[in-house]
């Protein structure tokens, strides 16, 4: 044998983790590790030490030692190379090289040790190969899982289709029974001429396209799956009733209880309410709508990974007498520099550098369209300047020694051009854990069962109430479980500082009254 054992111990010789590749008792290995620190000479640069029986090849690992115990006939150069691979594997699997983390990852470490050394001899593997072996990913297994899920989904759809077919047959049977009952009066009055036998079999009626999950030709081409003796009126419990009881699904129950020919509904989704609780604006004869959307990815340590702001300005004139106008934009309060790009409508004059920004038609004799909105200006910003972020988020998880984590999250309004409404900050939670709220200074909180996260809702963030904090304690000691933090809001104003100072007539007449509705929404607002 060459490598007798691979171990991790404290500087006092206490065993933290050990894997023996040769039959050795626990008492023997513990005595070898306990005597190891005493053999290390002071102020020595060597990484090996020998006794009469074994050789120790060791390497410091922060406050611990990682070492190989070999026989004295082994190749020390190969042992040092093997020791370096062991150290790289430990650093790759464990986040920190401390006793608690190594004990937590002990199963993975022992498996990796067995891949490096087998029966005392070094295997021809490197770190990437060891990592690949531990992951044990199988492409064929993934394909089989996908096939199994597809089969299960198809079986459920087939069961629902059969349930619908049975329900339609039941309704048809009831109709025919009603017709038979109405014709049976002559039979009861005397004679067999009024008798109408209930058919023992019948074909399923043609199912409307809007009521089936599969096309009608496919169902007609097949032999009906429930083609036995048909429906027996008056039986205690029919086969379709048993099937429906077995399903027990809300979806099937709702569909089966619906009328045979439901009205066709518009498949297009209802328009989303992007205004939230923003107060409505009374539109004047000259109405300007400014819309902005921000997408930003913030780093948890600070800084901006990416940030994009897109906006447009729409002008709507309802009075033909006010169609010859021009709009004066305010001077920028925030310096976006050349990263803020503007794009005008083809008929709108471009901004003159160094002068006040004016939105007006190139031809003063022409008029803006009346009764319809016209997009006169668009802008876009893409950059990584942290000072331009409208709402800063600071999420600070602090793991404790008792297996819990104390999370402090704070927000602050950074851009005074906007007032934020309906702010929701969503913090993911570890699986199976629920928080205990310690402190909250603004808003309210709730648990979102769909995403298993805590949603912190703040109705209003303005220059008056521009910051707030939330503190809670939750089980789990992995700080990465609380990211990414998602933020959503709807705001009044413009992040880029775009607005309208004044509206004037081209001919110099009396300035008309105007209204401005500036709305800011979020796309992906994340803290990674």
């Amino acid at each position: 044998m060459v490598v007798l054992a691979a171990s991790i111990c404290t500087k006092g010789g206490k065993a933290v983790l050990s894997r023996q590749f040769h039959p050795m008792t626990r008492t023997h290995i513990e005595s070898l590790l306990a005597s190891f620190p005493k053999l290390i000479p002071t102020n020595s640069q060597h990484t090996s030490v020998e006794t009469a029986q074994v050789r120790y090849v060791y390497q410091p690992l922060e406050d611990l030692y990682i070492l190989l115990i070999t026989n004295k006939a082994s190749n020390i150069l190969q042992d040092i190379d093997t020791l370096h691979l062991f150290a790289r594997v430990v650093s790759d699997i464990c986040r920190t090289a401390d006793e608690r983390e190594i004990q937590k990852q002990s199963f993975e470490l022992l498996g990796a040790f067995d891949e490096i050394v087998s029966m005392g001899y070094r295997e021809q593997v490197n770190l990437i190969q060891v990592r690949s072996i531990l992951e044990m990913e199988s492409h064929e297994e993934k394909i089989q899982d996908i096939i199994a899920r597809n089969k299960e989904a198809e079986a459920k759809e087939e069961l629902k289709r059969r349930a619908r077919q049975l329900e339609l047959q039941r309704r048809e049977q009831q109709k025919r029974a009603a017709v038979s009952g109405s014709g049976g009066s002559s039979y009861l009055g005397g004679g067999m001429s009024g008798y109408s036998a209930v058919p023992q079999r019948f074909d399923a009626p043609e199912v409307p396209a809007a009521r089936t999950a599969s096309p009608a030709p496919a169902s007609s081409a097949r032999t009906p799956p429930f083609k036995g003796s048909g429906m027996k009126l008056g039986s205690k419990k029919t086969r379709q009733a048993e099937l429906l009881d077995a399903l027990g699904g809300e979806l099937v129950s709702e569909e089966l209880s619906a009328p045979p020919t439901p009205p066709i509904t518009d498949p297009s989704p209802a328009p989303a309410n992007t205004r939230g609780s923003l107060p409505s604006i009374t539109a004047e004869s000259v109405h300007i709508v400014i819309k902005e959307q921000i997408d930003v990815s913030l780093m948890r340590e600070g800084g901006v990974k990416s940030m994009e702001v897109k906006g447009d300005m729409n002008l709507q004139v309802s009075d033909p007498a006010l169609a010859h106008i021009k709009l004066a934009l305010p001077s920028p309060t925030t310096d976006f520099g050349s990263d803020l790009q503007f794009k005008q409508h083809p008929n709108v004059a471009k901004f003159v550098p160094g002068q006040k920004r004016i939105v007006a038609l190139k031809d003063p004799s022409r008029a803006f369209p009346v009764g319809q909105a016209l997009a006169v200006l668009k802008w876009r910003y893409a950059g990584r300047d942290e000072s331009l972020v409208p709402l800063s988020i600071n999420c600070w998880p602090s793991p404790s020694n008792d297996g819990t984590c104390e999370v402090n999250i704070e927000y602050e309004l950074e851009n005074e051009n906007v007032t934020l409404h309906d702010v929701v900050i969503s913090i993911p939670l570890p699986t199976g854990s629920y928080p205990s709220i310690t402190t909250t200074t603004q808003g309210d909180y709730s648990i979102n069962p769909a995403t298993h996260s805590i949603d912190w809702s703040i109705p209003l963030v303005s220059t008056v109430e521009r910051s707030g904090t939330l503190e809670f304690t939750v089980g789990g000691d992995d700080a990465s479980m609380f990211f990414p933090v998602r933020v959503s809001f709807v705001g009044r104003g413009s992040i880029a500082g775009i607005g309208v100072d004044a509206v004037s007539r081209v001919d110099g007449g009396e300035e008309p009254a105007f209204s401005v509705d500036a709305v800011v929404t979020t796309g992906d607002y994340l803290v990674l």
Side-chain angles (χ1 to χ4, degrees), residues 176-234:
R176 295 191 182 187
V179 173
S180 302
S182 61
S185 57
S186 59
Y187 163 69
L188 296 176
M192 299 293 293
S193 60
Y195 176 78
S196 176
V198 177
Q200 294 300 312
R201 287 185 55 187
F202 57 89
D203 296 329
E206 183 179 356
V207 183
R211 294 286 297 158
T212 60
S214 58
S219 62
S220 61
R222 292 184 181 180
T223 302
F226 296 89
K227 192 180 176 183
S229 60
M231 300 296 163
K232 296 181 180 180
L233 297 179

Side-chain angles (χ1 to χ4, degrees), residues 113-132:
F113 287 2
D114 286 340
E115 299 298 333
I116 299 174
V117 175
S118 176
M119 303 297 293
Y121 293 94
R122 162 76 183 273
E123 296 287 347
Q124 297 302 319
V125 293
N126 54 31
L127 177 60
I128 296 177
Q129 291 172 330
V130 172
R131 186 185 301 161
S132 177

Side-chain angles (χ1 to χ4, degrees), residues 216-434:
S219 62
S220 61
R222 292 184 181 180
T223 302
F226 296 89
K227 192 180 176 183
S229 60
M231 300 296 163
K232 296 181 180 180
L233 297 179
S235 61
K236 293 183 178 179
K237 194 168 188 180
T238 58
R239 293 180 62 188
Q240 70 268 26
E242 295 176 353
L243 181 59
L244 293 178
D245 292 343
L247 280 175
E250 297 181 358
L251 174 63
V252 176
S253 301
E254 292 174 359
E255 290 182 354
L256 296 183
S257 61
T261 55
I264 299 176
T265 58
D266 186 6
S268 59
N273 180 20
T274 58
R275 294 188 61 87
S277 62
L278 283 181
S280 59
I281 300 296
T282 303
E284 300 288 349
S285 299
V286 178
H287 186 58
I288 302 101
V289 177
I290 299 174
K291 296 180 181 180
E292 276 186 347
Q293 177 174 308
I294 179 171
D295 294 86
V296 61
S297 295
L298 305 175
M299 306 300 293
R300 67 184 74 172
E301 298 85 2
V304 178
K305 183 178 180 181
S306 63
M307 177 179 175
E308 182 183 40
V309 179
K310 294 186 291 186
D312 58 75
M313 176 185 293
N314 291 268
L315 172 63
Q316 183 168 358
V317 180
S318 59
D319 188 353
L322 304 176
H324 294 81
I325 55 175
K326 57 184 179 180
L327 314 180
L329 308 188
S331 300
T333 57
T334 305
D335 185 15
F336 282 82
S338 59
D339 293 331
L340 183 61
Q341 304 291 331
F342 289 95
K343 187 175 182 180
Q344 287 86 354
H345 187 278
N347 293 332
V348 175
K350 297 185 178 299
F351 296 150
V352 178
Q355 297 184 12
K356 191 176 181 63
R357 295 170 180 170
I358 300 295
V359 176
L361 294 174
K362 294 179 181 179
D363 185 0
S365 61
R366 298 184 61 180
F368 284 106
V370 178
Q372 68 181 37
L374 176 66
V376 295
L377 180 65
K378 294 183 178 181
W379 57 93
R380 177 179 180 271
Y381 166 79
R384 301 174 62 181
D385 190 349
E386 189 175 8
S387 64
L388 304 178
V389 174
L391 186 70
S392 62
I393 304 294
N394 183 13
C395 184
W396 198 281
S398 301
S400 303
N401 295 328
D402 57 354
T404 63
C405 192
E406 182 179 349
V407 182
N408 294 265
I409 185 163
E410 180 183 14
Y411 70 85
E412 184 172 2
L413 182 67
E414 303 290 350
N415 192 328
E416 297 185 356
N417 293 329
V418 294
T419 300
L420 308 182
H421 296 254
D422 304 334
V423 180
V424 178
I425 303 174
S426 181
I427 308 101
L429 298 173
T431 304
S433 298
Y434 292 90

Side-chain angles (χ1 to χ4, degrees), residues 25 87 96 108 121 139 160 166 210 245 328 368 372 375 401 403 419 427 450-451 454 510:
T25 63
T96 58
E108 294 292 332
Y121 293 94
H139 181 67
K160 292 179 182 179
L166 287 171
D245 292 343
F368 284 106
Q372 68 181 37
N401 295 328
T419 300
I427 308 101
T451 59
I454 180 171
E510 182 182 357

